[in-house]
Amino acid sequence: MIPVLMMSLCALTVRAGQYTHADTLRGSNGSGRNWWDVTRYQLDVKFDTAAQSIAGSNQIFFRVTAQPGDSMQIDLQQPMMLDSVYVMSSSRTSGGVRKAAIVQEGNVWWVKYPFNTLKQDSLYSLLAFYHGTPRKAVNPPWDGGFSWKTDSLGRQWIAVSCQGLGASVWWPCKDAQWDEPEDGMINSFTVPLPLTCISNGRRVGNTQTDGNTTTTWVVRNPINNYDVTFYIGHYATWQDTLNGEKGVLDLDYAVLDYNRDKAKAHFGVVKTMLRAFEYWFGPYPFYEDGYKLVESPYLGMEHQSGIAYGNKFRMGYKGTDRSMTSHGLKWDYIIIHESGHEWFGNNVTAKDMADNWIHEGITCYSEVLFTEYTAGKENAAAYSRGLWAHIRNDQPVVAPYGVNDEGTGDIYEKGEAVMHMIRVMTNNDDKFRKMLRGLGREFYHKTVTTAEVEQYIAKTTGLELGAFFNQYLREKDVPELEYYIKNKELNFRFTNVVPGFSLPLTATGGDKKAAVKVNGDWAKVAWDGGYDVNFSKDFLIKLKK
Ligand SMILES: [Zn+2]
C-alpha cells in the first residue's frame, strides 16, 4: 500500500475502539477457522464486462490441523453471493464429493458439514461456486474494490485493489492475513476478446473460445490474499532477465499498448533497484514466479509477482517529493516502494494487520536504502529524516489485534524512523545489513508478529530494544527531551517515556560536543557549548527548552 500524499488526507481512518462483530469475525482466528490451514487456492473467474459482474469458483485446499468444529468460515463480502459449496478429498477425482449447507452472516458464509468426520492432518478441499457484482472502488487503492475504467482510447481497463478491505470483496477465501496458501495458487480469468488479462506469477495457459480468452496463471509461492489480482485491458508486454543472487530472475512488463516505448525507457531503473534490494535484503523472494510490473488504473499496489504501477511514468510520488529534500524526485516512487514490498509485506508478512508497520515501515525504509545505493548515505539519511514531517502521532503504530484494523498512517514514516534509529544505534552497517538480510531469511515466506521481529532485531544487533520498541510502536507520542543550562551544566531528561527508555544522543553547541544518554530521569553534563544546543538529528524526538 502507499501513503496518501498530504498529511491531512491520511487514508487510514483511526477507528479507535469502534469495532463490530464483523470486524472480530474478519480479524480473529475463530472456531470456523482455527482447525484448518489453507494450502492452496484454485480460482476460476469469468468476467461480464458489460454487466460489471463476475461468476466462478474457488477450490480451497486445506489441511485439518485440529479437531474440526461443526462449521467452516468462508469470507465473501456482500453483495457477492456464494451459490453452492462441495466438500471433497484434496483431488477432484478420488473420494466422495458431498454438497454442504451454507448459512450467510453478513460477509461471512458458514459452511455446515460433518467436518468431525475429517481426519486430522489430512488434506481436503472445498469447491465454492459464486457470482455477483463486486464493490466498486471509491478511492483506489486506499478504498478499493473493482475499478471499471477506460483508457485514453476509450477502451475498457479493469482492475482490482483490496488491501485492508480484503480479497473477500471479490473471491471466497479464508480472508485472514496469517493463513497464506503455502503451495500457492492457480488462477484462471476469462474475459471477452479483444481484451487481455495479466495476473500474478507465470502464465501457463491461454485459450480462446466463443469470443472469450481464458488465461491461466500459476503462483508457486505463498501469497497474501489481497495480493491476488488481475489487470484487464489492451496490454503490450515484453520480457527481460536479471542475473541475481539466486540465478536468473525473469522480468515481465505489461503496459497499455500506446505507452510501450515510454514505459521501456522509464522502467530502465528496475534492474538497479532489484540489485539494490538484493544487496540490502537478500535474494528476490519469488524467483519461481518472476518479477512483474503492470500498468494499473490506480496509483499502485504491491501485488506479488504482479506489481501495480499507476504513476503515469512520473518521478517521485505523482511528480512530487514526499521528503521535500529533492532526493525523492530522482526516482519513481511507485516502482521503488511497491517493489520493496516484495521483501517486506509479501515475503515477510504480518499475521495481523495491526502489525502492518512491518510492511509499510520497513518498505518505506527500502526507499532510503535505494537512495543510498544510488545517491550515497548522507543523501539517503536526509531523505529519511525528510519523511518524518508526515508523522502524526495520532495513535500507537501497532493497532489493536484481532479486529481487522491496520491503525494509523504512522505505520509508514514512524516505522521507517524506527529502522533509521536502529541503524544509527547499531553503528555498524555490516551488522545492520546482516540483520535486514537475516529478517528475510529467518521469516522467509512466513507470517510474523511484531514481537518476533523485535526479538530478531534485538538479537542480531545486540541492542537492548525492549523499551525502545514499546515507546515508538506502542505509545502514540514521540519522546520529548526537556533540557536547560545552568552553572555551565547541561541538564536533560525525557518527560513522557515508558520505563527503561533511553537514547544515546549527542549534544552539540558551537564547536562543542557531548555524548548524553537521556532517559526519564534528570541528568547533566558539564557544558560550555553555549545556549544554542542541538541534539542528534537522527532520532525522532521533540525538544522542550
Ligand atoms: Zn506500501
Side-chain angles (χ1 to χ4, degrees), residues 83-98:
D83 301 317
S84 59
V85 171
Y86 297 83
V87 179
M88 57 184 78
S89 69
S90 61
S91 72
R92 286 192 191 196
T93 49
S94 67
V97 178
R98 283 180 55 187

Side-chain angles (χ1 to χ4, degrees), residues 395-415:
Q395 60 159 329
V397 165
V398 173
Y401 289 102
V403 284
N404 196 45
D405 184 5
E406 191 174 46
T408 170
D410 283 355
I411 57 174
Y412 292 86
E413 291 83 13
K414 207 170 183 179

Side-chain angles (χ1 to χ4, degrees), residues 64-358:
V64 176
T65 53
Q67 177 55 39
D70 65 357
S71 59
M72 216 175 188
Q73 175 181 337
I74 297 298
D75 306 290
L76 182 64
Q77 296 176 36
Q78 297 168 75
M80 302 300 291
M81 293 300 292
L82 198 59
D83 301 317
S84 59
V85 171
Y86 297 83
V87 179
M88 57 184 78
S89 69
S90 61
S91 72
R92 286 192 191 196
T93 49
S94 67
V97 178
R98 283 180 55 187
K99 191 169 185 178
I102 44 179
V103 178
Q104 184 180 12
E105 181 187 355
N107 297 330
V108 163
W109 298 75
W110 298 105
V111 179
K112 303 285 181 184
Y113 178 88
F115 288 116
N116 54 5
T117 61
L118 304 186
K119 282 203 286 317
Q120 213 160 322
D121 249 354
S122 295
L123 276 174
Y124 298 89
S125 73
L126 193 115
L127 183 57
F129 291 93
Y130 75 108
H131 78 281
T133 308
R135 178 188 198 266
K136 290 191 176 56
V138 178
N139 178 25
W142 302 283
D143 193 354
F146 274 34
S147 296
W148 300 92
K149 299 288 180 192
T150 55
D151 64 19
S152 5
L153 299 178
R155 303 169 304 178
Q156 286 183 313
W157 190 17
I158 308 158
V160 64
S161 53
C162 58
Q163 188 180 12
L165 175 65
S168 54
V169 75
W170 69 283
W171 56 287
C173 60
K174 186 177 185 178
D175 208 347
Q177 206 161 290
W178 63 87
D179 195 347
E180 297 177 359
E182 289 81 11
D183 304 331
M185 291 187 75
I186 299 175
N187 301 320
S188 296
F189 302 106
T190 301
V191 300
L193 288 163
L195 294 168
T196 56
C197 180
I198 311 280
S199 180
N200 315 82
R202 295 184 190 276
R203 194 179 74 180
V204 294
N206 187 5
T207 56
Q208 290 168 5
T209 44
D210 310 332
N212 290 302
T213 175
T214 300
T215 53
T216 300
W217 303 78
V218 169
V219 177
R220 287 198 175 77
N221 288 296
I223 183 169
N224 306 337
N225 293 357
Y226 63 79
D227 276 342
V228 178
T229 200
F230 59 80
Y231 309 90
I232 297 167
H234 294 255
Y235 281 98
T237 63
W238 69 97
Q239 287 72 41
D240 198 348
T241 59
L242 174 87
N243 291 323
E245 276 196 29
K246 241 171 119 177
V248 175
L249 173 60
D250 292 322
L251 312 177
D252 281 89
Y253 302 99
V255 299
L256 295 177
D257 47 15
Y258 50 77
N259 283 332
R260 183 195 170 102
D261 297 342
K262 183 165 50 174
K264 270 199 144 185
H266 191 76
F267 290 172
V269 69
V270 167
K271 287 188 182 179
T272 306
M273 170 195 69
L274 291 170
R275 288 197 190 95
F277 287 159
E278 287 210 327
Y279 172 79
W280 281 104
F281 296 145
Y284 176 73
F286 312 112
Y287 271 71
E288 303 78 1
D289 298 321
Y291 170 88
K292 190 184 301 111
L293 208 46
V294 187
E295 191 178 1
S296 57
Y298 51 81
L299 187 54
M301 189 54 215
E302 61 257 37
H303 298 138
Q304 185 177 309
S305 294
I307 302 273
Y309 174 79
N311 201 24
K312 301 192 170 95
F313 314 102
R314 291 169 291 187
M315 288 305 210
Y317 181 110
K318 295 183 185 180
T320 68
D321 175 8
R322 297 190 78 251
S323 77
M324 296 161 273
T325 62
S326 85
H327 299 303
L329 273 176
K330 305 230 172 62
W331 37 270
D332 183 312
Y333 179 92
I334 294 299
I335 295 177
I336 304 303
H337 182 92
E338 302 305 352
S339 304
H341 271 307
E342 292 281 45
W343 280 265
F344 290 94
N346 298 348
N347 177 35
V348 180
T349 304
K351 282 185 193 309
D352 190 312
M353 59 170 73
D355 288 335
N356 270 14
W357 78 272
I358 299 168

